[in-house]
Amino acid sequence: MSELQHDFSGLRAVYVNCTLKRSPEQSHTQGLVDVSASIMAKHGVEVEQVRLIDHDVATGVYLDMTEHGWDRDEWPLLFSRIVQADILVVAGPIWLGDNSSVTKQLIERLYAGSSMTNASGQYVYYGKVGGAIITGNEDGIKHCASNILYSLQHIGYAIPPGADAGWIGEAGPGPSYLDPGSGGPQNEFTQRNTTFMTWNLMHLAAMFKAAGGFPVGGNQRTEWDAGARFDYPEHPNPEYR
């Protein structure tokens, strides 16, 4: 079959790896991230990868935690790179059936910027696309992905079909994705889901790019604050219920 000919140049993607391992220690999550990122790069997407634990990111729900008692916080710099991207992929491992603490920290810090607005007066993440990659050697891919994808859509990201991919191997303790003999890199289910997720992220991001962002109408925070109600019914007079 012929190679798919698509040009997604002009799109930017950030993969945030929420492994608990500092570089250069091997991250199994990184192994699956690299598969997806290579597809994007092949088709012209500018790809950046961040291993969050390598950075001095404070805990909290404000954009700059140095204004709230922390001595250092690299999040403002990372946030500026993430918010300029068209695609965000949150990747991380499963621990005790749930997302890693670093994944939770990332979601909290993303939430800190969710009240900001873009040039159209919409929330700042509108017109951007989100996905999730999960790895581990215990059950929980769907649980972890649903938590991430719900959180991303809640703050404004658009979620395309099949926006999650992962690998966990057999239930119970066992080899992780990159371990010799794991079968992870050869697993067709994982290969298919990772590929579909990657393409769907690029397609939806390209649609938003071509349209100039998410459609404007009834969703502008700045207009709401100025008094617009976008056909929302008037509140009834409590004296005439």
Side-chain angles (χ1 to χ4, degrees), residues 58-74:
T59 298
V61 290
Y62 296 97
L63 278 175
D64 187 350
M65 291 304 299
T66 63
E67 299 174 357
H68 298 271
W70 288 76
D71 293 332
R72 294 193 60 192
D73 187 9
E74 291 186 39

Side-chain angles (χ1 to χ4, degrees), residues 57-70 72-77 79 105-116 125:
V57 175
T59 298
V61 290
Y62 296 97
L63 278 175
D64 187 350
M65 291 304 299
T66 63
E67 299 174 357
H68 298 271
W70 288 76
R72 294 193 60 192
D73 187 9
E74 291 186 39
W75 177 252
L77 177 60
F79 172 75
Q105 182 186 38
L106 172 64
I107 296 298
E108 289 166 352
R109 298 312 301 272
L110 287 168
Y111 181 74
S114 62
S115 63
M116 297 173 62
Y125 301 122

Side-chain angles (χ1 to χ4, degrees), residues 24 51 56 79 88 92 97 153-154 165 196 228 230 232 236:
R51 191 179 290 205
D56 193 355
F79 172 75
L88 171 64
Q153 68 80 30
H154 182 77
F196 285 15
F230 309 119
Y232 186 87

